[in-house]
Amino acid sequence: MSERRFRFGYVLAPKKLSSFIQDSLVNHAQQQGIDLIPIDLNKSLIEQGPFDCIFHKLYGPEWRKQLEEFSVQNPTTIIIDPIDAIEKLHNRISMLEVVNELKITQENETIGVPLQIFIQENSDSLLDHITRQGLDFPVIAKPLIANGTADSHQMYLVLKPAGLEELKPPIVLQEFVNHGGVIFKVYVAGEHVKCVKRRSLPDISEEKLGTLENLIAFSQISNLTAQDQNNDSFAELIENAEMPPLGFVTEVANQLRDALKLHLFNFDMIRDTRAGNRYLVIDINYFPGYAKMPSYETILTAFFLDIARQKQSNESG
């Protein structure tokens, strides 16, 4: 890179701001010639800047209008990411549709999504919907909208038909797949990809299914069995879990990035215990909690540098 410094403006919600914009990131980026500059929402965006790049996690109509006006006057500023592309991840049906269109070239591993159905309004029987679509219990019930609000995180594990009576459409019902109690969180920042292992819902055997309640909120799932409260056993479980092949994870990440037209996202992936080389994407989130990722400052700064090079290339082209 040249000696030139690059100005990256950002707009984030307060909670995201405190977790993401840490001194360690600001300083690391500064050392590489990237200045991270907060955008003041109380002032017109056009009056601020200049910016080489703007990254944001904001969706309102006023912010959309400001971004559009700014882009017209500053066509070389790189916006990360387009609001229309981000909003596709706010719908749990459209969010995963793209996964089935990926053309993965790996010989051994396959990628897909769990079977899921969307129920728009109250009908005589949610059970009829499930039976028609070939879903078996247990199923996961999720709100259709996934926009980061508290309501969008209200999820349930439905273990028996009687549990359906407590649910109110519109709702997404997703097949629960046993996956060894481990979830793989794949963080994407442009071409930089990092996969980490995390604790997930425990497997549910036929035997255990018969002893459980009809419906369990995700917030209470850690109480499924006494063994699940043994943190040592979970730590060992996660430690021993085999990571998916790096080449496979990277290919899925790159194809998702291109298909979604997004730079900053993560996806949650599980390994189907019925077929150990089959992986399922169960969720995709825009601008996730990168600070939870080891060495997030290094990865994000490398991404910022990629964008700075792209900006230079656009200007010289």
Side-chain angles (χ1 to χ4, degrees), residues 193-231:
V193 179
K194 179 80 173 176
C195 180
V196 298
K197 298 181 279 189
R198 293 281 185 268
R199 172 178 172 173
S200 182
L201 305 185
D203 286 354
I204 299 174
S205 63
E206 289 287 336
E207 183 183 21
K208 191 190 287 186
L209 193 57
T211 66
L212 296 169
E213 304 166 44
N214 298 328
L215 182 81
I216 305 176
F218 267 37
S219 57
Q220 299 169 324
I221 282 187
S222 58
N223 303 327
L224 267 180
T225 67
Q227 182 202 346
D228 295 340
Q229 299 195 24
N230 183 335
N231 286 329

Side-chain angles (χ1 to χ4, degrees), residues 230-240:
N230 183 335
N231 286 329
D232 288 344
S233 65
F234 261 109
E236 189 179 337
L237 176 78
I238 293 169
E239 188 178 336
N240 293 336

Side-chain angles (χ1 to χ4, degrees), residues 28 34 55-56 67 70 87 96 133 148 151 160 166 182 185 218-219 254 257 265 281 286 307 312 317:
H28 200 81
I34 309 281
F55 63 92
H56 68 103
L67 261 187
F70 182 90
E87 286 183 339
L96 296 181
Q133 298 292 334
D151 286 348
K160 299 168 189 172
E166 300 178 50
V182 176
K185 287 190 167 288
F218 267 37
S219 57
N254 288 341
R257 184 192 65 236
F265 64 96
V281 175
Y286 185 67
I307 297 300
Q312 270 191 321

Side-chain angles (χ1 to χ4, degrees), residues 241-272:
E242 184 184 348
M243 292 286 274
L246 181 59
F248 168 68
V249 171
T250 304
E251 187 175 9
V252 173
N254 288 341
Q255 289 197 25
L256 277 178
R257 184 192 65 236
D258 293 344
L260 294 168
K261 297 180 172 57
L262 294 172
H263 293 81
L264 296 171
F265 64 96
N266 81 342
F267 58 97
D268 292 343
M269 189 170 73
I270 58 175
R271 181 189 288 119
D272 188 342

